[in-house]
Amino acid sequence: MKKFFLLKLIVLTLSLTALISCGKKKQNDFSQIPEMETKKGNHIWYYFSNSGFSEIDKPQNAPLRPQTPWTETIRISSAANATEDQNGNTLGYAVVNRLGIICFEGNQKYLSQDSNVFDNRTAGNLVFLNNTPIFSVYKSAFFNDTISDVQYKNDGANHLFLIQFDSKAKISYPLVNTTNLVDNKNSEVTDFVWDGLNWLCSIKTINDTKTEFSYLSWKPNVPLLSLSPSQAKDKITIQPSNMEEFKSAKILLDYKNAPERIKALCKGFFDEVPFSLEIKNADGTSPRIYKNEILNSTKEELNAKAIIAPSWSCVLFEDGTLFLEGALPGKHILREGKPIAIRLPKLPAGFVYSDIVISNLTLYAAWEETSFYKTGRSGFLQVDLEKSLYSKIKF
C-alpha cells in the first residue's frame, strides 16, 4: 500500500481520536494538540460477498477472495452524494460492481440488486440529475468471455449503457443503450464525460479481426429521465467527435486550478508531495481530476477523492487521512469554519481506502485489497460522526 507523507499535520484516529480546537499556534503546527479518546462503537466494518454485504471485525478477517481485474471484481467502483432533500436528509450512493446500488441514508443502508443489469457487466461512473443517480455499465472485452456470446452480439437489448436508479422503488432502469447511439451491435460505451448538457462517449467495437474506438457526443431532446432504449434513438441528437476532444475532456488538470474550497481545505498540507485528486460535486456531473506534480520528486503519487456539498466539503486520501470543513446536516459549522483532520482506522498492508460519501452524520468509506490492476476483498467502513466528531469538538 502506498505510504503517505503527512506534512505539518497530526491526524487523529477514529477508533482512537478526534481533533479538537488548538488555540494560537504556529500555522499548521498541530504537534501539541492533545488527543481525545472517542467512544467505543463509533465505526463498523463491512465486507462484500457474492450476495451482499456483512459485518466483520476487521477487513483482514473478511473471507479470502481471488484477486481479479478491477473491472470484474465486486467492489465499490463509484460513490457520490446527493444534495439535501426536502426533509433535510443527505443521501449517499455507491455503485457496487457486479452486485448493485447501495443507498446510504444516515446510519441505514440498502443494497438494491439487479442481475439483468449487473451480472457480467462493469458498472461505475456515478453522476446525478436533480438528485437522481445515473450510472453506466458495459462488458469488458479483455476479461469477459460473455462478450463473445452469439446471442449477446446479435441482441441490441444486451448492450446496456446508461442506467437510472430509482431510490424510492429501488430499481435500476435503462435509459439509453449503446445500440441507440451506433448501429454496430458489437459495440460498447466504455467511458463517458457528462458536463450537464452533452454526453461525450468513447465506444469500443469488437470485430473478429480487430478492435476499433470511436467517439461521439449526444444530448436528449426531451427530459433525460423520460428516455428508454425502445424510443431513445429518435429523441436524442448525436454529433461525431474524436479522440482529441475526448482526451481533452478527461485530461488531468493542474491542482492550482482546483476549486478554492478544496485548496483552502488542504492548504499547507502536502506541499512537497505529488498527488492526484478526483473532485465531485454533490448532485453533480462527471468529476474532474486534478494533479499536483512535484518536479524531481522521489515520493510516490498519492490518490484521493473529494466531495463539494453546499454546506461542507471533504477530501479522503487512500491511507484514511480525511480533511473536513463546514456544517453537516442539522449541525453547527465545525471549528468556526476551520478545516479539521482525522485518520480513519488504519488498514493492513495491501489495502486502501478508495471512495467516500457522507449521509447526514454518517460517513462511509470504501476499502479494497488491491495489487496493480487486480482487486481481492472489498467492503466499506461506516463511521458515526456524531460520536467521533461533534461530541468532541469545541465550537
Side-chain angles (χ1 to χ4, degrees):
M1 170 177 143
K2 295 180 180 177
K3 294 182 178 179
F4 284 68
F5 301 90
L6 304 181
L7 305 180
K8 306 175 185 176
L9 171 69
I10 282 212
V11 284
L12 314 171
T13 42
L14 280 178
S15 40
L16 357 162
T17 54
L19 189 63
I20 64 173
S21 192
C22 61
K24 293 183 179 179
K25 297 183 181 292
K26 181 180 177 182
Q27 185 179 11
N28 296 331
D29 181 7
F30 299 155
S31 59
Q32 301 302 315
I33 297 177
E35 297 183 357
M36 182 180 290
E37 291 296 328
T38 58
K39 296 178 182 179
K40 185 177 180 181
N42 68 331
H43 68 279
I44 307 172
W45 296 100
Y46 293 91
Y47 75 93
F48 289 119
S49 66
N50 289 336
S51 58
F53 58 83
S54 301
E55 191 173 331
I56 192 73
D57 60 341
K58 297 178 182 179
Q60 57 266 42
N61 292 336
L64 292 174
R65 296 183 66 90
Q67 292 204 350
T68 55
W70 63 265
T71 58
E72 316 306 305
T73 303
I74 294 177
R75 56 185 286 272
I76 290 180
S77 57
S78 185
N81 265 91
T83 53
E84 287 190 20
D85 63 19
Q86 58 186 5
N87 298 317
N89 294 314
T90 301
L91 300 183
Y93 297 88
V95 178
V96 186
N97 192 49
R98 296 304 181 96
L99 200 57
I101 300 290
I102 300 180
C103 175
F104 299 109
E105 185 173 355
N107 60 8
Q108 302 296 314
K109 47 219 168 284
Y110 311 94
L111 172 64
S112 300
Q113 297 177 256
D114 189 335
S115 59
N116 292 324
V117 172
F118 290 91
D119 278 7
N120 296 316
R121 290 186 174 91
T122 300
N125 288 328
L126 181 61
V127 295
F128 289 86
L129 177 62
N130 299 328
N131 266 0
T132 298
I134 300 171
F135 63 99
S136 66
V137 296
Y138 73 97
K139 290 196 174 186
S140 171
F142 289 109
F143 308 112
N144 195 329
D145 292 338
T146 65
I147 199 170
S148 60
D149 182 79
V150 173
Q151 180 181 357
Y152 171 79
K153 285 185 175 182
N154 294 329
D155 183 4
N158 274 319
H159 295 261
L160 301 179
F161 161 44
L162 204 61
I163 312 292
Q164 166 196 350
F165 178 69
D166 185 328
S167 59
K168 293 183 179 180
K170 296 181 172 54
I171 297 175
S172 296
Y173 296 102
L175 296 173
V176 178
N177 285 358
T178 304
T179 46
N180 296 137
L181 304 176
V182 295
D183 293 329
N184 195 323
K185 292 183 179 180
N186 291 343
S187 298
E188 292 281 306
V189 176
T190 57
D191 200 3
F192 73 81
V193 177
W194 180 49
D195 61 9
L197 179 63
N198 296 294
W199 299 79
L200 183 60
C201 299
S202 171
I203 299 173
K204 178 184 287 188
T205 301
I206 308 295
N207 295 313
D208 293 334
T209 58
K210 61 181 179 179
T211 298
E212 297 179 322
F213 285 91
S214 58
Y215 305 87
L216 58 81
S217 174
W218 65 273
K219 61 182 180 181
N221 303 322
V222 297
L224 176 68
L225 300 182
S226 70
L227 293 178
S228 67
S230 63
Q231 41 77 21
K233 191 165 187 176
D234 296 327
K235 296 184 179 181
I236 60 178
T237 299
I238 301 173
Q239 298 289 336
S241 184
N242 53 59
M243 182 186 299
E244 288 70 26
E245 184 178 6
F246 189 79
K247 284 184 175 180
S248 178
K250 299 283 286 187
I251 194 171
L252 300 181
L253 304 173
D254 192 327
Y255 180 68
K256 295 178 182 178
N257 299 319
E260 292 300 322
R261 284 179 63 183
I262 297 299
K263 290 193 293 185
L265 181 58
C266 298
K267 185 177 181 180
F269 310 131
F270 311 109
D271 290 336
E272 301 176 3
V273 178
F275 61 85
S276 180
L277 177 61
E278 181 183 280
I279 301 178
K280 300 170 280 190
N281 289 308
D283 190 28
T285 55
S286 295
R288 295 307 306 264
I289 300 177
Y290 294 82
K291 192 176 182 68
N292 184 48
E293 290 190 296
I294 306 297
L295 295 177
N296 303 318
S297 174
T298 59
K299 298 174 182 177
E300 277 191 292
E301 181 179 288
L302 313 180
N303 294 301
K305 299 289 179 70
I307 302 172
I308 299 177
S311 63
W312 56 267
S313 62
C314 68
V315 175
L316 175 66
F317 284 81
E318 59 186 305
D319 75 331
T321 302
L322 175 74
F323 299 101
L324 179 64
E325 63 83 25
L328 296 179
K331 290 295 183 177
H332 297 291
I333 295 176
L334 290 165
R335 295 187 65 220
E336 299 179 344
K338 299 175 183 177
I340 67 166
I342 60 176
R343 167 77 65 84
L344 301 187
K346 186 177 180 180
L347 291 168
F351 290 70
V352 297
Y353 287 104
S354 59
D355 218 328
I356 181 176
V357 296
I358 296 177
S359 176
N360 297 340
L361 296 178
T362 306
L363 177 149
Y364 296 91
W367 60 265
E368 58 187 51
E369 181 183 22
T370 182
S371 177
F372 191 34
Y373 68 95
K374 292 185 176 183
T375 301
R377 292 169 286 185
S378 64
F380 59 90
L381 172 69
Q382 176 178 325
V383 177
D384 186 334
L385 295 179
E386 175 74 49
K387 291 181 180 179
S388 58
L389 286 185
Y390 278 94
S391 62
K392 298 299 178 182
I393 294 178
K394 299 177 182 179
F395 297 97

